[in-house]
mmCIF file of all heavy atoms in Angstrom:
data_model
loop_
_atom_site.group_PDB
_atom_site.id
_atom_site.type_symbol
_atom_site.label_atom_id
_atom_site.label_comp_id
_atom_site.label_asym_id
_atom_site.label_seq_id
_atom_site.Cartn_x
_atom_site.Cartn_y
_atom_site.Cartn_z
ATOM 1 N N LEU A 1 0.835 -1.205 0.000
ATOM 2 C CA LEU A 1 0.000 0.000 0.000
ATOM 3 C C LEU A 1 0.869 1.254 0.000
ATOM 4 O O LEU A 1 1.995 1.234 0.505
ATOM 5 C CB LEU A 1 -0.925 0.009 1.224
ATOM 6 C CG LEU A 1 -2.040 -1.038 1.228
ATOM 7 C CD1 LEU A 1 -2.893 -0.890 2.491
ATOM 8 C CD2 LEU A 1 -2.923 -0.900 -0.003
ATOM 9 N N PRO A 2 0.341 2.336 -0.537
ATOM 10 C CA PRO A 2 1.123 3.584 -0.588
ATOM 11 C C PRO A 2 1.140 4.306 0.766
ATOM 12 O O PRO A 2 0.582 5.393 0.928
ATOM 13 C CB PRO A 2 0.405 4.407 -1.661
ATOM 14 C CG PRO A 2 -1.018 3.928 -1.589
ATOM 15 C CD PRO A 2 -0.937 2.458 -1.226
ATOM 16 N N TRP A 3 1.777 3.703 1.749
ATOM 17 C CA TRP A 3 1.822 4.256 3.092
ATOM 18 C C TRP A 3 2.612 5.552 3.132
ATOM 19 O O TRP A 3 3.604 5.707 2.438
ATOM 20 C CB TRP A 3 2.467 3.277 4.072
ATOM 21 C CG TRP A 3 1.688 2.034 4.329
ATOM 22 C CD1 TRP A 3 2.065 0.763 3.997
ATOM 23 C CD2 TRP A 3 0.430 1.914 4.975
ATOM 24 N NE1 TRP A 3 1.104 -0.134 4.394
ATOM 25 C CE2 TRP A 3 0.093 0.549 5.002
ATOM 26 C CE3 TRP A 3 -0.452 2.832 5.539
ATOM 27 C CZ2 TRP A 3 -1.081 0.074 5.571
ATOM 28 C CZ3 TRP A 3 -1.627 2.363 6.100
ATOM 29 C CH2 TRP A 3 -1.928 0.999 6.118
ATOM 30 N N SER A 4 2.186 6.437 3.994
ATOM 31 C CA SER A 4 2.942 7.641 4.342
ATOM 32 C C SER A 4 2.885 7.733 5.857
ATOM 33 O O SER A 4 2.095 7.033 6.504
ATOM 34 C CB SER A 4 2.298 8.888 3.711
ATOM 35 O OG SER A 4 1.014 9.107 4.265
ATOM 36 N N ALA A 5 3.700 8.599 6.424
ATOM 37 C CA ALA A 5 3.641 8.782 7.878
ATOM 38 C C ALA A 5 2.238 9.237 8.282
ATOM 39 O O ALA A 5 1.688 8.800 9.296
ATOM 40 C CB ALA A 5 4.696 9.782 8.330
ATOM 41 N N GLU A 6 1.652 10.085 7.464
ATOM 42 C CA GLU A 6 0.312 10.594 7.767
ATOM 43 C C GLU A 6 -0.737 9.484 7.691
ATOM 44 O O GLU A 6 -1.595 9.371 8.576
ATOM 45 C CB GLU A 6 -0.050 11.721 6.806
ATOM 46 C CG GLU A 6 -1.319 12.437 7.200
ATOM 47 C CD GLU A 6 -1.512 13.725 6.418
ATOM 48 O OE1 GLU A 6 -0.534 14.467 6.264
ATOM 49 O OE2 GLU A 6 -2.651 13.952 5.989
ATOM 50 N N SER A 7 -0.688 8.635 6.677
ATOM 51 C CA SER A 7 -1.702 7.572 6.562
ATOM 52 C C SER A 7 -1.537 6.526 7.665
ATOM 53 O O SER A 7 -2.522 6.004 8.180
ATOM 54 C CB SER A 7 -1.664 6.921 5.177
ATOM 55 O OG SER A 7 -0.454 6.235 4.954
ATOM 56 N N LEU A 8 -0.303 6.232 8.051
ATOM 57 C CA LEU A 8 -0.077 5.310 9.168
ATOM 58 C C LEU A 8 -0.588 5.917 10.476
ATOM 59 O O LEU A 8 -1.201 5.223 11.287
ATOM 60 C CB LEU A 8 1.399 4.951 9.284
ATOM 61 C CG LEU A 8 1.918 3.961 8.242
ATOM 62 C CD1 LEU A 8 3.437 3.946 8.215
ATOM 63 C CD2 LEU A 8 1.370 2.560 8.503
ATOM 64 N N ALA A 9 -0.347 7.197 10.669
ATOM 65 C CA ALA A 9 -0.835 7.880 11.874
ATOM 66 C C ALA A 9 -2.363 7.835 11.924
ATOM 67 O O ALA A 9 -2.952 7.564 12.979
ATOM 68 C CB ALA A 9 -0.341 9.322 11.910
ATOM 69 N N ARG A 10 -3.012 8.091 10.778
ATOM 70 C CA ARG A 10 -4.480 8.003 10.723
ATOM 71 C C ARG A 10 -4.955 6.594 11.049
ATOM 72 O O ARG A 10 -5.958 6.409 11.740
ATOM 73 C CB ARG A 10 -4.973 8.385 9.324
ATOM 74 C CG ARG A 10 -5.428 9.809 9.188
ATOM 75 C CD ARG A 10 -6.242 10.065 7.927
ATOM 76 N NE ARG A 10 -5.726 9.429 6.724
ATOM 77 C CZ ARG A 10 -4.807 9.962 5.917
ATOM 78 N NH1 ARG A 10 -4.300 11.143 6.184
ATOM 79 N NH2 ARG A 10 -4.408 9.324 4.846
ATOM 80 N N GLU A 11 -4.222 5.606 10.551
ATOM 81 C CA GLU A 11 -4.576 4.198 10.779
ATOM 82 C C GLU A 11 -4.656 3.868 12.270
ATOM 83 O O GLU A 11 -5.441 3.032 12.685
ATOM 84 C CB GLU A 11 -3.522 3.318 10.087
ATOM 85 C CG GLU A 11 -3.778 1.854 10.137
ATOM 86 C CD GLU A 11 -4.759 1.369 9.080
ATOM 87 O OE1 GLU A 11 -5.158 2.147 8.195
ATOM 88 O OE2 GLU A 11 -5.137 0.195 9.168
ATOM 89 N N VAL A 12 -3.823 4.523 13.073
ATOM 90 C CA VAL A 12 -3.779 4.234 14.509
ATOM 91 C C VAL A 12 -4.323 5.389 15.358
ATOM 92 O O VAL A 12 -4.100 5.445 16.563
ATOM 93 C CB VAL A 12 -2.349 3.848 14.965
ATOM 94 C CG1 VAL A 12 -1.896 2.583 14.254
ATOM 95 C CG2 VAL A 12 -1.356 4.979 14.747
ATOM 96 N N SER A 13 -5.022 6.300 14.706
ATOM 97 C CA SER A 13 -5.696 7.419 15.378
ATOM 98 C C SER A 13 -4.740 8.287 16.195
ATOM 99 O O SER A 13 -4.961 8.551 17.382
ATOM 100 C CB SER A 13 -6.833 6.905 16.279
ATOM 101 O OG SER A 13 -7.732 6.125 15.542
ATOM 102 N N MET A 14 -3.668 8.713 15.542
ATOM 103 C CA MET A 14 -2.709 9.626 16.182
ATOM 104 C C MET A 14 -2.431 10.783 15.235
ATOM 105 O O MET A 14 -2.632 10.663 14.024
ATOM 106 C CB MET A 14 -1.380 8.905 16.478
ATOM 107 C CG MET A 14 -1.453 7.834 17.542
ATOM 108 S SD MET A 14 0.169 7.042 17.811
ATOM 109 C CE MET A 14 1.046 8.350 18.689
ATOM 110 N N SER A 15 -1.911 11.867 15.800
ATOM 111 C CA SER A 15 -1.441 12.947 14.935
ATOM 112 C C SER A 15 -0.145 12.480 14.280
ATOM 113 O O SER A 15 0.565 11.615 14.811
ATOM 114 C CB SER A 15 -1.199 14.221 15.741
ATOM 115 O OG SER A 15 -0.012 14.089 16.517
ATOM 116 N N ARG A 16 0.150 13.044 13.132
ATOM 117 C CA ARG A 16 1.348 12.652 12.398
ATOM 118 C C ARG A 16 2.609 12.843 13.230
ATOM 119 O O ARG A 16 3.448 11.953 13.344
ATOM 120 C CB ARG A 16 1.455 13.446 11.089
ATOM 121 C CG ARG A 16 2.628 13.031 10.235
ATOM 122 C CD ARG A 16 2.920 14.074 9.123
ATOM 123 N NE ARG A 16 4.183 13.833 8.503
ATOM 124 C CZ ARG A 16 5.376 14.043 9.047
ATOM 125 N NH1 ARG A 16 5.466 14.506 10.279
ATOM 126 N NH2 ARG A 16 6.494 13.792 8.405
ATOM 127 N N SER A 17 2.758 14.010 13.844
ATOM 128 C CA SER A 17 3.987 14.303 14.591
ATOM 129 C C SER A 17 4.124 13.403 15.819
ATOM 130 O O SER A 17 5.215 12.890 16.107
ATOM 131 C CB SER A 17 4.067 15.774 14.974
ATOM 132 O OG SER A 17 2.963 16.131 15.782
ATOM 133 N N ALA A 18 3.028 13.181 16.538
ATOM 134 C CA ALA A 18 3.089 12.303 17.713
ATOM 135 C C ALA A 18 3.411 10.874 17.286
ATOM 136 O O ALA A 18 4.196 10.173 17.942
ATOM 137 C CB ALA A 18 1.772 12.345 18.477
ATOM 138 N N PHE A 19 2.816 10.435 16.181
ATOM 139 C CA PHE A 19 3.081 9.086 15.675
ATOM 140 C C PHE A 19 4.553 8.916 15.289
ATOM 141 O O PHE A 19 5.201 7.948 15.695
ATOM 142 C CB PHE A 19 2.179 8.785 14.473
ATOM 143 C CG PHE A 19 2.542 7.514 13.769
ATOM 144 C CD1 PHE A 19 2.253 6.280 14.345
ATOM 145 C CD2 PHE A 19 3.173 7.542 12.536
ATOM 146 C CE1 PHE A 19 2.602 5.094 13.697
ATOM 147 C CE2 PHE A 19 3.526 6.371 11.879
ATOM 148 C CZ PHE A 19 3.241 5.140 12.469
ATOM 149 N N VAL A 20 5.077 9.856 14.515
ATOM 150 C CA VAL A 20 6.477 9.761 14.073
ATOM 151 C C VAL A 20 7.415 9.758 15.275
ATOM 152 O O VAL A 20 8.349 8.948 15.339
ATOM 153 C CB VAL A 20 6.833 10.894 13.079
ATOM 154 C CG1 VAL A 20 8.328 10.958 12.815
ATOM 155 C CG2 VAL A 20 6.075 10.706 11.767
ATOM 156 N N ASP A 21 7.168 10.628 16.250
ATOM 157 C CA ASP A 21 8.016 10.673 17.448
ATOM 158 C C ASP A 21 7.968 9.350 18.217
ATOM 159 O O ASP A 21 9.006 8.803 18.603
ATOM 160 C CB ASP A 21 7.588 11.818 18.378
ATOM 161 C CG ASP A 21 7.946 13.186 17.828
ATOM 162 O OD1 ASP A 21 8.758 13.265 16.883
ATOM 163 O OD2 ASP A 21 7.402 14.182 18.352
ATOM 164 N N ARG A 22 6.762 8.852 18.456
ATOM 165 C CA ARG A 22 6.605 7.611 19.229
ATOM 166 C C ARG A 22 7.192 6.412 18.487
ATOM 167 O O ARG A 22 7.874 5.579 19.079
ATOM 168 C CB ARG A 22 5.123 7.390 19.507
ATOM 169 C CG ARG A 22 4.810 6.311 20.489
ATOM 170 C CD ARG A 22 3.418 6.594 20.980
ATOM 171 N NE ARG A 22 2.740 5.520 21.619
ATOM 172 C CZ ARG A 22 1.499 5.609 22.049
ATOM 173 N NH1 ARG A 22 0.817 6.723 21.868
ATOM 174 N NH2 ARG A 22 0.926 4.613 22.654
ATOM 175 N N PHE A 23 6.931 6.320 17.182
ATOM 176 C CA PHE A 23 7.452 5.227 16.363
ATOM 177 C C PHE A 23 8.983 5.246 16.392
ATOM 178 O O PHE A 23 9.624 4.216 16.634
ATOM 179 C CB PHE A 23 6.943 5.358 14.920
ATOM 180 C CG PHE A 23 7.204 4.152 14.057
ATOM 181 C CD1 PHE A 23 6.184 3.251 13.808
ATOM 182 C CD2 PHE A 23 8.445 3.928 13.479
ATOM 183 C CE1 PHE A 23 6.402 2.138 13.008
ATOM 184 C CE2 PHE A 23 8.687 2.820 12.688
ATOM 185 C CZ PHE A 23 7.650 1.916 12.446
ATOM 186 N N THR A 24 9.560 6.401 16.152
ATOM 187 C CA THR A 24 11.018 6.536 16.107
ATOM 188 C C THR A 24 11.644 6.207 17.455
ATOM 189 O O THR A 24 12.677 5.531 17.514
ATOM 190 C CB THR A 24 11.407 7.955 15.648
ATOM 191 O OG1 THR A 24 10.782 8.213 14.384
ATOM 192 C CG2 THR A 24 12.908 8.104 15.513
ATOM 193 N N THR A 25 11.021 6.653 18.531
ATOM 194 C CA THR A 25 11.534 6.360 19.874
ATOM 195 C C THR A 25 11.516 4.861 20.148
ATOM 196 O O THR A 25 12.493 4.298 20.654
ATOM 197 C CB THR A 25 10.711 7.105 20.941
ATOM 198 O OG1 THR A 25 10.833 8.508 20.705
ATOM 199 C CG2 THR A 25 11.186 6.768 22.342
ATOM 200 N N LEU A 26 10.426 4.204 19.814
ATOM 201 C CA LEU A 26 10.280 2.784 20.127
ATOM 202 C C LEU A 26 11.055 1.876 19.168
ATOM 203 O O LEU A 26 11.700 0.920 19.590
ATOM 204 C CB LEU A 26 8.801 2.386 20.125
ATOM 205 C CG LEU A 26 7.967 2.968 21.257
ATOM 206 C CD1 LEU A 26 6.495 2.640 21.071
ATOM 207 C CD2 LEU A 26 8.459 2.465 22.604
ATOM 208 N N ILE A 27 10.985 2.159 17.883
ATOM 209 C CA ILE A 27 11.570 1.276 16.873
ATOM 210 C C ILE A 27 13.028 1.628 16.599
ATOM 211 O O ILE A 27 13.829 0.764 16.265
ATOM 212 C CB ILE A 27 10.747 1.322 15.558
ATOM 213 C CG1 ILE A 27 9.288 0.969 15.826
ATOM 214 C CG2 ILE A 27 11.338 0.412 14.492
ATOM 215 C CD1 ILE A 27 9.053 -0.415 16.359
ATOM 216 N N GLY A 28 13.365 2.878 16.739
ATOM 217 C CA GLY A 28 14.754 3.289 16.512
ATOM 218 C C GLY A 28 14.996 3.922 15.160
ATOM 219 O O GLY A 28 16.084 4.430 14.898
ATOM 220 N N VAL A 29 14.004 3.872 14.284
ATOM 221 C CA VAL A 29 14.080 4.530 12.976
ATOM 222 C C VAL A 29 12.707 5.134 12.683
ATOM 223 O O VAL A 29 11.696 4.653 13.193
ATOM 224 C CB VAL A 29 14.480 3.561 11.829
ATOM 225 C CG1 VAL A 29 15.887 3.040 12.003
ATOM 226 C CG2 VAL A 29 13.498 2.415 11.686
ATOM 227 N N PRO A 30 12.653 6.171 11.844
ATOM 228 C CA PRO A 30 11.357 6.748 11.491
ATOM 229 C C PRO A 30 10.496 5.740 10.712
ATOM 230 O O PRO A 30 11.025 4.809 10.096
ATOM 231 C CB PRO A 30 11.724 7.947 10.603
ATOM 232 C CG PRO A 30 13.160 8.220 10.886
ATOM 233 C CD PRO A 30 13.782 6.913 11.286
ATOM 234 N N PRO A 31 9.177 5.935 10.728
ATOM 235 C CA PRO A 31 8.295 4.956 10.099
ATOM 236 C C PRO A 31 8.555 4.727 8.611
ATOM 237 O O PRO A 31 8.489 3.587 8.139
ATOM 238 C CB PRO A 31 6.887 5.519 10.334
ATOM 239 C CG PRO A 31 7.062 6.884 10.877
ATOM 240 C CD PRO A 31 8.439 7.019 11.376
ATOM 241 N N ILE A 32 8.863 5.753 7.868
ATOM 242 C CA ILE A 32 9.067 5.564 6.429
ATOM 243 C C ILE A 32 10.377 4.835 6.158
ATOM 244 O O ILE A 32 10.471 4.014 5.244
ATOM 245 C CB ILE A 32 8.973 6.911 5.676
ATOM 246 C CG1 ILE A 32 7.570 7.513 5.877
ATOM 247 C CG2 ILE A 32 9.276 6.752 4.195
ATOM 248 C CD1 ILE A 32 6.394 6.579 5.558
ATOM 249 N N ARG A 33 11.376 5.058 6.983
ATOM 250 C CA ARG A 33 12.623 4.288 6.849
ATOM 251 C C ARG A 33 12.360 2.817 7.168
ATOM 252 O O ARG A 33 12.840 1.918 6.471
ATOM 253 C CB ARG A 33 13.702 4.861 7.772
ATOM 254 C CG ARG A 33 14.982 4.079 7.797
ATOM 255 C CD ARG A 33 15.721 4.174 6.465
ATOM 256 N NE ARG A 33 16.916 3.350 6.513
ATOM 257 C CZ ARG A 33 17.320 2.568 5.515
ATOM 258 N NH1 ARG A 33 16.676 2.550 4.385
ATOM 259 N NH2 ARG A 33 18.395 1.833 5.643
#
């Protein structure tokens, strides 16, 4: 699927910036990477 940080954030009901920060903190890389 044509995922973006914004579409993934929508998928989990978060704002884009909060999602990217939380994902990067937990996983160690940004979601698109």
Side-chain angles (χ1 to χ4, degrees):
L1 291 181
W3 293 115
S4 65
E6 189 168 316
S7 65
L8 285 165
R10 263 195 318 273
E11 184 82 7
V12 298
S13 304
M14 292 180 73
S15 74
R16 184 195 168 288
S17 60
F19 171 73
V20 170
D21 288 345
R22 191 160 162 183
F23 191 101
T24 304
T25 299
L26 291 174
I27 304 298
V29 295
I32 299 308
R33 175 68 183 138

